[in-house]
């Protein structure tokens, strides 16, 4: 692949998927290719270039995790020490087990926390008050027992960074990681102007070709989980730190720290998101040799993959919900060019079960809770409808009676994989996992058709 080929490919794919603007950076291990296309805002934006800042969404977590491991390498954080030892907010939590949560469990999404805790005041900026509010919640699962993707946990890691460094998460990330990597910091909240042009997010409805600008909503207290912005080229610089090919990277994240961070965590069964999970990074592919993270936030998508052994890396940023469809199309094209980038396939059969007698959905109907979020699974016509109070509506396709895909009805984003989990003792369904998040079943809930 050369620069012109990459630019033509990205332009073709953005037009095909109604994405107003995007960036692609590919490090083959021997050369870097970086291209951009489109505009920052549909109909009125400025052209996207290699320095345009796109919202990273949850790819921010990979940066927060790297910062935490840096601090652990310096002896400022003990990865296996109880959170209560560092944060006063967790010395008398509502759920006593919460005091035993460790940074390792937060990094690997095995702390048993609710996924998406928010404060009553959406403009609140205090991570101390956020952490105190989390400590007053019941746990979803026993710490260390199971994987459940949690923005909440990464916001707590931001609070931990704040406590041990004596400065804000943004300042610590900029000083200890972004600056040394040559990345000019751009945050959604609380850092002042960066001088970088930022792309706006867009939604694309199913069956439509029009990308509509959408406003960004991310509470300031969620910054450590999703508040970083940057370019695809910045992501490759970050990946080079993890592959050991960044000049001077060994002083930022030494070989031992990289190995620790890249090691799969035994309790982190990340079904619905990845083939495994490490300390802040997802594993992809049957052999798990590719690492990275994906992110979505209000009309923007971000994808990062890198291969520590070869130094190869691929990063894509887009400003539309359909970026989730562009990504697998891009990977198919890259594979034809000899760059076999791994992705998560969802571990689902090729097609939904045709014989509904083999997949009777009735035992699945009910309500499932993750904190204040309650998902309803109900019959809908001849199918199954998933919904929640936020307005989520998705149609479920069952595969073997327990595994499913959930396709949203309001956007053309790719479907989410999920599964229902049975109690080993009774065989009754007691848990639902959707896109890596767990929700426990509520008993005694009437469930009429949607």
């Amino acid at each position: 692949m050369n620069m012109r080929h990459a630019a033509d490919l990205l332009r073709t794919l953005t037009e095909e998927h109604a994405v107003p603007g995007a960036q692609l950076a590919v490090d083959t291990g021997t050369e870097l290719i970086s291209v951009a296309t489109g505009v920052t805002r549909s109909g009125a934006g400025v052209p996207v270039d290699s320095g345009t800042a796109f919202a990273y969404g949850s790819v921010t977590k990979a940066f927060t995790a790297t910062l935490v491991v840096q601090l652990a390498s310096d002896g400022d954080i003990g990865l296996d020490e109880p959170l209560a030892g560092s944060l006063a907010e967790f010395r008398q939590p509502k759920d006593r087990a919460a005091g035993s949560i460790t940074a390792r469990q937060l990094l690997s999404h095995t702390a048993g926390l609710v996924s998406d805790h928010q404060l009553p005041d959406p403009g609140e900026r205090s991570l101390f008050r956020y952490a105190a509010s989390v400590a007053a919640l019941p746990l979803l699962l026993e710490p260390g027992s199971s994987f459940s993707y949690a923005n909440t946990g990464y916001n707590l890691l931001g609070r931990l960074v704040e406590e041990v460094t004596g400065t804000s998460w943004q300042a610590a990330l900029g000083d200890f990681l972004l600056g040394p990597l040559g990345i000019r910091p751009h945050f959604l909240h609380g850092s002042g102007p960066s001088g970088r042009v930022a792309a706006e997010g867009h939604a694309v409805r199913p069956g439509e070709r029009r990308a509509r600008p959408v406003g960004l909503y991310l509470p300031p207290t969620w910054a450590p989980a999703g508040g970083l912005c940057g370019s695809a080229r910045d992501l490759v610089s970050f990946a080079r730190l993890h592959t050991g090919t960044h000049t001077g990277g060994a002083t930022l994240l030494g070989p031992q720290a990289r190995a620790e961070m890249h090691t799969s965590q035994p309790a982190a069964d990340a079904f619905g998101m990845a083939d495994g999970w490490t300390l802040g990074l997802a594993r992809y592919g049957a052999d798990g040799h590719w690492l990275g993270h994906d992110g979505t936030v209000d009309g923007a998508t971000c994808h990062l993959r890198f291969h520590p052994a070869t130094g190869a890396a691929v990063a894509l940023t887009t400003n539309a919900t359909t970026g989730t469809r562009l990504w697998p199309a891009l990977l198919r094209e890259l594979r034809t060019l000899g760059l076999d980038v791994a992705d998560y396939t969802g571990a689902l059969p090729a097609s939904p079960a045709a014989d509904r007698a083999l997949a009777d959905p009735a035992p699945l109907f009910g309500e499932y809770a993750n904190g204040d979020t309650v998902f309803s699974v109900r019959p809908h016509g001849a199918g199954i409808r998933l919904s929640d109070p936020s307005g989520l509506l998705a149609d479920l396709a069952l595969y073997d009676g327990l595994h499913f895909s959930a396709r949203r009805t309001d956007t053309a984003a790719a479907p989410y994989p999920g599964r229902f989990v049975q109690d080993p003792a009774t065989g009754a369904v007691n848990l639902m996992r959707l896109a890596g998040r767990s929700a426990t079943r509520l008993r005694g809930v009437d469930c009429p058709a949607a």
Side-chain angles (χ1 to χ4, degrees), residues 196-224:
R196 301 181 70 168
V197 174
E200 297 186 36
H202 299 77
V204 182
R205 293 185 179 277
E208 292 186 1
R209 298 285 305 161
R210 185 169 66 94
R212 299 175 294 103
V214 294
L216 176 69
Y217 174 74
L218 187 80
T221 50
W222 282 37

Short mmCIF file of all heavy atoms in Angstrom, two decimals, residues 196-224:
data_model
loop_
_atom_site.label_atom_id
_atom_site.label_comp_id
_atom_site.label_asym_id
_atom_site.label_seq_id
_atom_site.Cartn_x
_atom_site.Cartn_y
_atom_site.Cartn_z
N ARG A 196 -6.08 23.00 18.23
CA ARG A 196 -6.38 22.01 17.19
C ARG A 196 -7.83 22.13 16.74
O ARG A 196 -8.73 22.37 17.54
CB ARG A 196 -6.12 20.59 17.71
CG ARG A 196 -4.69 20.36 18.15
CD ARG A 196 -4.47 18.94 18.64
NE ARG A 196 -4.52 17.96 17.56
CZ ARG A 196 -4.12 16.70 17.71
NH1 ARG A 196 -3.64 16.29 18.88
NH2 ARG A 196 -4.18 15.86 16.70
N VAL A 197 -8.06 21.95 15.45
CA VAL A 197 -9.41 21.89 14.91
C VAL A 197 -10.02 20.55 15.28
O VAL A 197 -9.38 19.50 15.17
CB VAL A 197 -9.39 22.06 13.38
CG1 VAL A 197 -10.79 21.86 12.80
CG2 VAL A 197 -8.85 23.43 13.00
N ALA A 198 -11.28 20.58 15.76
CA ALA A 198 -11.94 19.35 16.19
C ALA A 198 -13.08 18.98 15.25
O ALA A 198 -13.80 19.85 14.76
CB ALA A 198 -12.47 19.50 17.61
N ALA A 199 -13.22 17.69 15.00
CA ALA A 199 -14.31 17.19 14.18
C ALA A 199 -15.57 17.04 15.02
O ALA A 199 -15.49 16.70 16.20
CB ALA A 199 -13.93 15.85 13.57
N GLU A 200 -16.72 17.29 14.43
CA GLU A 200 -18.01 17.11 15.10
C GLU A 200 -18.57 15.73 14.77
O GLU A 200 -18.26 15.15 13.73
CB GLU A 200 -19.00 18.20 14.67
CG GLU A 200 -18.55 19.60 15.04
CD GLU A 200 -19.61 20.64 14.72
OE1 GLU A 200 -20.82 20.32 14.87
OE2 GLU A 200 -19.24 21.75 14.31
N GLY A 201 -19.43 15.23 15.66
CA GLY A 201 -20.03 13.92 15.46
C GLY A 201 -21.28 13.98 14.60
O GLY A 201 -21.95 15.02 14.52
N HIS A 202 -21.60 12.85 13.95
CA HIS A 202 -22.78 12.75 13.09
C HIS A 202 -23.47 11.40 13.28
O HIS A 202 -22.81 10.39 13.52
CB HIS A 202 -22.40 12.89 11.61
CG HIS A 202 -21.76 14.20 11.26
ND1 HIS A 202 -20.44 14.48 11.56
CD2 HIS A 202 -22.26 15.30 10.63
CE1 HIS A 202 -20.15 15.70 11.13
NE2 HIS A 202 -21.23 16.21 10.57
N ALA A 203 -24.78 11.41 13.14
CA ALA A 203 -25.58 10.18 13.16
C ALA A 203 -26.11 9.90 11.77
O ALA A 203 -26.48 10.83 11.04
CB ALA A 203 -26.72 10.29 14.16
N VAL A 204 -26.15 8.63 11.41
CA VAL A 204 -26.70 8.20 10.13
C VAL A 204 -27.78 7.17 10.41
O VAL A 204 -27.51 6.12 10.99
CB VAL A 204 -25.62 7.60 9.21
CG1 VAL A 204 -26.23 7.22 7.86
CG2 VAL A 204 -24.46 8.58 9.01
N ARG A 205 -29.00 7.48 10.03
CA ARG A 205 -30.11 6.56 10.28
C ARG A 205 -30.10 5.41 9.28
O ARG A 205 -29.62 5.55 8.16
CB ARG A 205 -31.45 7.29 10.20
CG ARG A 205 -31.65 8.31 11.32
CD ARG A 205 -33.05 8.90 11.25
NE ARG A 205 -33.28 9.87 12.31
CZ ARG A 205 -33.64 9.55 13.54
NH1 ARG A 205 -33.80 8.27 13.86
NH2 ARG A 205 -33.82 10.47 14.46
N PRO A 206 -30.65 4.24 9.70
CA PRO A 206 -30.71 3.09 8.78
C PRO A 206 -31.44 3.45 7.50
O PRO A 206 -32.49 4.09 7.52
CB PRO A 206 -31.51 2.05 9.59
CG PRO A 206 -31.27 2.42 11.01
CD PRO A 206 -31.19 3.92 11.03
N GLY A 207 -30.88 3.07 6.37
CA GLY A 207 -31.51 3.31 5.08
C GLY A 207 -31.28 4.70 4.53
O GLY A 207 -31.72 5.00 3.41
N GLU A 208 -30.61 5.57 5.29
CA GLU A 208 -30.38 6.94 4.82
C GLU A 208 -28.92 7.13 4.44
O GLU A 208 -28.04 6.41 4.88
CB GLU A 208 -30.76 7.96 5.91
CG GLU A 208 -32.24 8.03 6.20
CD GLU A 208 -32.57 9.16 7.17
OE1 GLU A 208 -31.63 9.89 7.58
OE2 GLU A 208 -33.75 9.32 7.51
N ARG A 209 -28.67 8.14 3.62
CA ARG A 209 -27.32 8.49 3.23
C ARG A 209 -26.89 9.83 3.82
O ARG A 209 -25.78 10.29 3.59
CB ARG A 209 -27.22 8.59 1.70
CG ARG A 209 -27.52 7.30 0.98
CD ARG A 209 -26.39 6.33 1.09
NE ARG A 209 -25.14 6.91 0.63
CZ ARG A 209 -23.94 6.43 0.94
NH1 ARG A 209 -23.83 5.40 1.76
NH2 ARG A 209 -22.84 7.00 0.48
N ARG A 210 -27.76 10.46 4.61
CA ARG A 210 -27.49 11.78 5.15
C ARG A 210 -26.92 11.66 6.55
O ARG A 210 -27.50 11.01 7.42
CB ARG A 210 -28.77 12.61 5.17
CG ARG A 210 -28.56 14.06 5.62
CD ARG A 210 -29.81 14.86 5.36
NE ARG A 210 -30.92 14.41 6.19
CZ ARG A 210 -31.23 14.95 7.37
NH1 ARG A 210 -30.52 15.95 7.85
NH2 ARG A 210 -32.26 14.51 8.05
N ALA A 211 -25.79 12.32 6.78
CA ALA A 211 -25.17 12.36 8.11
C ALA A 211 -25.61 13.63 8.81
O ALA A 211 -25.38 14.74 8.31
CB ALA A 211 -23.65 12.32 7.98
N ARG A 212 -26.26 13.49 9.95
CA ARG A 212 -26.79 14.64 10.69
C ARG A 212 -25.88 14.95 11.88
O ARG A 212 -25.60 14.06 12.69
CB ARG A 212 -28.20 14.33 11.20
CG ARG A 212 -29.22 14.05 10.12
CD ARG A 212 -30.56 13.64 10.70
NE ARG A 212 -30.48 12.35 11.39
CZ ARG A 212 -30.44 12.20 12.71
NH1 ARG A 212 -30.45 13.25 13.51
NH2 ARG A 212 -30.37 11.00 13.26
N PRO A 213 -25.42 16.20 12.01
CA PRO A 213 -24.59 16.55 13.16
C PRO A 213 -25.34 16.31 14.47
O PRO A 213 -26.55 16.56 14.57
CB PRO A 213 -24.32 18.05 12.96
CG PRO A 213 -24.47 18.27 11.49
CD PRO A 213 -25.57 17.33 11.07
N VAL A 214 -24.64 15.79 15.46
CA VAL A 214 -25.23 15.55 16.78
C VAL A 214 -24.35 16.18 17.83
O VAL A 214 -23.11 16.22 17.71
CB VAL A 214 -25.41 14.04 17.08
CG1 VAL A 214 -26.44 13.42 16.15
CG2 VAL A 214 -24.08 13.31 16.95
N GLY A 215 -24.97 16.70 18.88
CA GLY A 215 -24.21 17.31 19.97
C GLY A 215 -23.52 16.25 20.81
O GLY A 215 -24.00 15.12 20.94
N LEU A 216 -22.40 16.64 21.37
CA LEU A 216 -21.64 15.71 22.19
C LEU A 216 -22.09 15.78 23.64
O LEU A 216 -22.24 16.86 24.19
CB LEU A 216 -20.14 16.05 22.12
CG LEU A 216 -19.23 15.22 23.02
CD1 LEU A 216 -19.17 13.79 22.50
CD2 LEU A 216 -17.84 15.82 23.07
N TYR A 217 -22.34 14.62 24.24
CA TYR A 217 -22.66 14.58 25.66
C TYR A 217 -21.70 13.62 26.35
O TYR A 217 -21.71 12.42 26.08
CB TYR A 217 -24.10 14.13 25.93
CG TYR A 217 -24.37 13.94 27.41
CD1 TYR A 217 -24.50 15.05 28.23
CD2 TYR A 217 -24.43 12.68 27.97
CE1 TYR A 217 -24.71 14.90 29.60
CE2 TYR A 217 -24.64 12.51 29.33
CZ TYR A 217 -24.79 13.63 30.14
OH TYR A 217 -24.97 13.48 31.50
N LEU A 218 -20.86 14.17 27.20
CA LEU A 218 -19.99 13.35 28.04
C LEU A 218 -19.77 14.12 29.33
O LEU A 218 -19.20 15.22 29.32
CB LEU A 218 -18.65 13.09 27.37
CG LEU A 218 -17.75 12.10 28.13
CD1 LEU A 218 -18.18 10.66 27.84
CD2 LEU A 218 -16.29 12.30 27.78
N PRO A 219 -20.24 13.60 30.48
CA PRO A 219 -20.03 14.32 31.74
C PRO A 219 -18.54 14.55 31.99
O PRO A 219 -17.71 13.67 31.69
CB PRO A 219 -20.63 13.37 32.78
CG PRO A 219 -21.56 12.49 32.02
CD PRO A 219 -20.95 12.32 30.66
N PRO A 220 -18.16 15.69 32.55
CA PRO A 220 -16.75 15.94 32.83
C PRO A 220 -16.11 14.87 33.72
O PRO A 220 -14.92 14.59 33.59
CB PRO A 220 -16.77 17.30 33.54
CG PRO A 220 -18.00 17.97 33.03
CD PRO A 220 -19.00 16.87 32.83
N THR A 221 -16.90 14.26 34.61
CA THR A 221 -16.35 13.23 35.48
C THR A 221 -16.09 11.92 34.73
O THR A 221 -15.52 10.98 35.31
CB THR A 221 -17.30 12.96 36.66
OG1 THR A 221 -18.63 12.75 36.17
CG2 THR A 221 -17.30 14.13 37.63
N TRP A 222 -16.47 11.85 33.48
CA TRP A 222 -16.18 10.69 32.65
C TRP A 222 -14.94 10.90 31.79
O TRP A 222 -14.61 10.05 30.94
CB TRP A 222 -17.37 10.37 31.74
CG TRP A 222 -18.49 9.67 32.41
CD1 TRP A 222 -18.96 9.84 33.67
CD2 TRP A 222 -19.31 8.65 31.82
NE1 TRP A 222 -20.02 9.02 33.93
CE2 TRP A 222 -20.27 8.28 32.80
CE3 TRP A 222 -19.35 8.04 30.58
CZ2 TRP A 222 -21.24 7.31 32.56
CZ3 TRP A 222 -20.32 7.08 30.33
CH2 TRP A 222 -21.26 6.72 31.32
N ALA A 223 -14.23 11.99 31.98
CA ALA A 223 -13.08 12.28 31.14
C ALA A 223 -12.05 11.16 31.11
O ALA A 223 -11.56 10.81 30.02
CB ALA A 223 -12.43 13.59 31.59
N PRO A 224 -11.68 10.52 32.24
CA PRO A 224 -10.67 9.45 32.18
C PRO A 224 -11.12 8.23 31.39
O PRO A 224 -10.29 7.42 30.98
CB PRO A 224 -10.45 9.10 33.66
CG PRO A 224 -10.87 10.32 34.42
CD PRO A 224 -12.04 10.85 33.64
#
